[in-house]
Amino acid sequence: MSGAALVELSHVTKRYPGVVALNDVTLTLEAGTITALAGENGAGKSTLIKVLSGAVVPDSGEVTVAGRHLPPDPGQVIRSGVSTIYQELTDVPAMNVLDNVLLARQSSRLGVLEGQANRERARAALERVGLQNIDLKRSAGSLTPAQRQLLEIARCLARDARVLIFDEPTSSLPEGDVETLLDIIRQLRREGLAILYVSHHLDELFAISDTIVVMRDGAVVALKPTGEWDQPALVKAMLARDLQNAYPWVERPLGDVALEIKDLTAPGVRSATITARSGEILGLVGLDGAGRTELMKAMAGATKPTSGSIAVDGRTIRLGNLTHARERGIVYAPEDRKREGLILTASIRDNLVLGLYALISRLGLIMSGRQTGLAEASVRGYGVKADSITQPIGTLSGGNQQKVILARVALAGARVIMLDDPTRGVDVGAKSSIYEHVLNLAGQGAVVLLTSSDTDEVLATCDRVYVLRAGRIVEEVMRADFDRERILTSASLG
Ligand SMILES: Nc1ncnc2c1ncn2[C@@H]1O[C@H](COP(=O)(O)OP(=O)(O)OP(=O)(O)O)[C@@H](O)[C@H]1O
Ligand SMILES: [Mg+2]
């Protein structure tokens, strides 16, 4: 079944003010084939996907599906067999599984027969994604994130998708669910679907694809069968430079104890005790739901601990009080940037200084000038790819939004910096520079506490890790004793 060109993009160009997001892109997606798309943040991957889904109309060029022009409207694109799975879930949590699978399917009549046929269709689609045992009446919101994503794929299949597009599908999945998703995608390839797969996890691209395409500055710069790529070559094609060491770490002198948490119990956290010295980089390792995010939230004052204490530089902070925690130098960069981190319609500059008013407001009228200066320095320092600091942050690529969050944390001049999965959706080059910034912040005396959906990354960058399980810290491991298998086992036992 493989080999037939299902989708053809020919000389597609899309410009935004100050940037060519797609520059003369020509690309073919074949039936029964997985094409991986790689490229640094802002390279144009999502824009390409938006063109294929009908959400963005190119300035010039042509897209055909099975020889016909791509219809000019997203709904019609789906009906023509091209479906997209976005990074964020688009299901309706309050609706049940059946209705979610059938969502937006046009039904002419609602007769009993039709209802029965639809149910059969939904069941068949759910079976193809391994959800055959799920109760059709359960609400989508009661499923795990991984199951909800499979539900979205089932919805595409129920609409007879022949082309499936994935934009960073594993960036919101727990590590353990990634392999299941990849297996299902492989199965869909066997069934003859044409698949486009975008991810910053290069090992996934190697594991799953037949072809890897690299984009840079809106253009396709390389395209080869996966077997002809290796990791260094791929990184070099993406970044146009070699990357020797993605995870910088150096031994540093540590200062006095700067953070002391004693027996902290809070929603999702049971009796956590942590001591950290000034300049230390600490990792939290655990399965999804083990309490890493909950611990950070409790420390930030976003949830209310029921007992225990937190002290920064020997001064106790009031628990469950965001403002007080912030004033004492605890800042938190949440994992869900879309919901908790940014105001997408506001400018880069305003997003940068959100919550930093103490830093600029004292200066009254000078404020906006100071804001602009700070923002410009941050955008430069963090390599945010943007046309101007007045650009709405929602128009930045995903990875560049993440860099703005980190730049903001650095501006806060904090004593304790908590980064919840800071490199999610970030390209390999930016990952490396984020860890350089982390090292700098620690070098200036801050305590950095971080998690990552990639445990190897934590082990490569931290001085010490705490392993969490079911809300409890079950182990503390020094860098000299890091052993990946043992730590992962410790995180998942029990
Ligand atoms: N609506 C928009 N208005 C202005 N510029 C935009 C808009 N959408 C995208 N861009 C710009 O187009 C370029 C390509 O962005 P795109 O989202 O396609 O990148 P990407 O490869 O998906 O990056 P990432 O890996 O970070 O997700 C970026 O410079 C981005 O800022
Ligand atoms: Mg993107």
Side-chain angles (χ1 to χ4, degrees):
M1 205 164 196
S2 87
L6 258 187
V7 178
E8 294 188 276
L9 288 103
S10 155
H11 302 290
V12 171
T13 293
K14 171 68 193 175
R15 293 189 176 79
Y16 288 110
V19 56
V20 187
L22 292 177
N23 188 358
D24 198 29
V25 171
T26 294
L27 185 67
T28 303
L29 304 182
E30 292 173 359
T33 300
I34 301 176
T35 305
L37 185 55
E40 58 183 330
N41 298 128
K45 305 177 297 297
S46 293
T47 307
L48 180 77
I49 287 173
K50 285 179 193 155
V51 165
L52 284 175
S53 67
V56 161
V57 180
D59 300 328
S60 58
E62 201 176 286
V63 185
T64 59
V65 180
R68 294 166 181 245
H69 281 284
L70 192 78
D73 153 273
Q76 287 181 39
V77 169
I78 290 172
R79 284 191 287 283
S80 78
V82 181
S83 278
T84 304
I85 311 288
Y86 293 98
Q87 195 174 328
E88 292 84 28
L89 295 168
T90 61
D91 61 353
V92 184
M95 270 171 36
N96 68 31
V97 167
L98 178 65
D99 291 340
N100 265 290
V101 174
L102 300 175
L103 197 69
R105 262 192 66 80
Q106 298 215 315
S107 71
S108 42
R109 285 163 294 129
L110 282 170
V112 178
L113 276 178
E114 177 125 3
Q116 189 54 36
N118 273 338
R119 203 181 308 271
E120 293 302 321
R121 174 182 281 276
R123 273 195 205 288
L126 287 167
E127 191 170 338
R128 285 167 76 189
V129 300
L131 290 182
Q132 57 275 10
N133 295 326
I134 223 115
D135 179 358
L136 295 180
K137 296 208 185 70
R138 252 178 93 170
S139 69
S142 72
L143 305 178
T144 67
Q147 289 175 322
R148 290 172 67 182
Q149 193 179 42
L150 294 174
L151 186 61
E152 295 214 21
I153 300 174
R155 181 203 295 164
C156 299
L157 297 176
R159 292 162 171 170
D160 301 319
R162 288 176 297 164
V163 180
L164 262 189
I165 301 170
F166 293 89
D167 197 355
E168 302 191 39
T170 57
S171 63
S172 45
L173 276 191
E175 237 171 338
D177 291 321
V178 171
E179 204 43 53
T180 312
L181 176 69
L182 296 187
D183 276 340
I184 283 161
I185 296 177
R186 289 188 188 105
Q187 175 59 32
L188 296 174
R189 161 172 62 190
R190 282 194 285 278
E191 294 174 12
L193 274 77
I195 290 160
L196 181 66
Y197 190 91
V198 175
S199 176
H200 287 293
H201 297 281
L202 304 188
D203 46 344
E204 285 169 19
L205 306 187
F206 280 102
I208 202 175
S209 67
D210 301 292
T211 304
I212 301 181
V213 181
V214 178
M215 290 183 72
R216 200 163 67 224
D217 296 330
V220 171
V221 293
L223 187 162
K224 283 195 284 188
T226 305
E228 293 176 23
W229 285 104
D230 58 30
Q231 193 125 336
L234 183 56
V235 170
K236 189 170 182 175
M238 289 169 64
L239 306 182
R241 65 183 162 89
D242 283 314
L243 189 67
Q244 297 302 341
N245 180 10
Y247 303 121
W249 180 89
V250 286
E251 182 135 31
R252 312 165 313 282
L254 302 178
D256 296 335
V257 169
L259 171 69
E260 274 187 288
I261 302 175
K262 282 198 191 124
D263 283 327
L264 191 72
T265 293
V269 181
R270 290 193 285 164
S271 191
T273 295
I274 287 180
T275 306
R277 291 164 65 185
S278 169
E280 225 179 341
I281 305 175
L282 299 181
L284 300 179
V285 177
L287 301 181
D288 213 51
R292 296 171 299 172
T293 296
E294 288 72 14
L295 176 58
M296 289 187 170
K297 285 191 166 155
M299 287 172 60
T303 59
K304 187 127 188 108
T306 47
S307 62
S309 66
I310 303 174
V312 174
D313 293 328
R315 297 161 76 199
T316 308
I317 62 166
R318 283 202 286 281
L319 299 179
N321 186 323
L322 276 166
T323 318
H324 196 245
R326 174 68 57 83
E327 280 167 10
R328 288 288 160 88
I330 298 184
V331 296
Y332 170 52
E335 60 178 335
D336 189 345
R337 61 176 174 253
K338 288 269 154 55
R339 241 179 308 160
E340 301 184 54
L342 299 170
I343 299 175
L344 294 176
T345 51
S347 68
I348 297 175
R349 182 184 59 199
D350 290 344
N351 271 285
L352 265 170
V353 295
L354 277 177
L356 300 181
Y357 292 109
L359 209 62
I360 46 173
S361 59
R362 236 174 343 117
L363 303 166
L365 280 176
I366 311 167
M367 174 172 140
S368 89
R370 173 125 172 86
Q371 219 179 20
T372 302
L374 280 174
E376 272 166 355
S378 297
V379 164
R380 258 196 318 276
Y382 279 79
V384 178
K385 192 175 172 193
D387 188 38
S388 133
I389 57 166
T390 55
Q391 191 175 336
I393 202 152
T395 66
L396 292 187
S397 77
N400 281 300
Q401 294 180 10
Q402 185 70 353
K403 292 182 212 168
V404 172
I405 292 188
L406 294 171
R408 181 169 75 195
V409 164
L411 278 179
R415 294 293 296 144
V416 179
I417 297 171
M418 297 184 288
L419 306 175
D420 202 352
D421 209 355
T423 59
R424 181 201 283 199
V426 156
D427 69 55
V428 280
K431 241 180 216 176
S432 163
S433 68
I434 283 172
Y435 284 115
E436 261 167 40
H437 286 295
V438 165
L439 213 49
N440 280 339
L441 292 168
Q444 290 157 25
V447 172
V448 181
L449 215 70
L450 68 87
T451 72
S452 169
S453 43
D454 178 355
T455 305
D456 291 331
E457 208 173 286
V458 177
L459 300 184
T461 52
C462 291
D463 302 315
R464 188 156 58 97
V465 300
Y466 287 100
V467 181
L468 277 85
R469 206 167 64 214
R472 274 186 199 285
I473 293 176
V474 293
E475 202 179 354
E476 180 192 344
V477 190
M478 304 299 296
R479 187 177 179 94
D481 304 321
F482 283 176
D483 173 338
R484 181 175 195 276
E485 295 312 313
R486 224 184 52 72
I487 288 176
L488 286 176
T489 307
S490 162
S492 52
L493 281 177

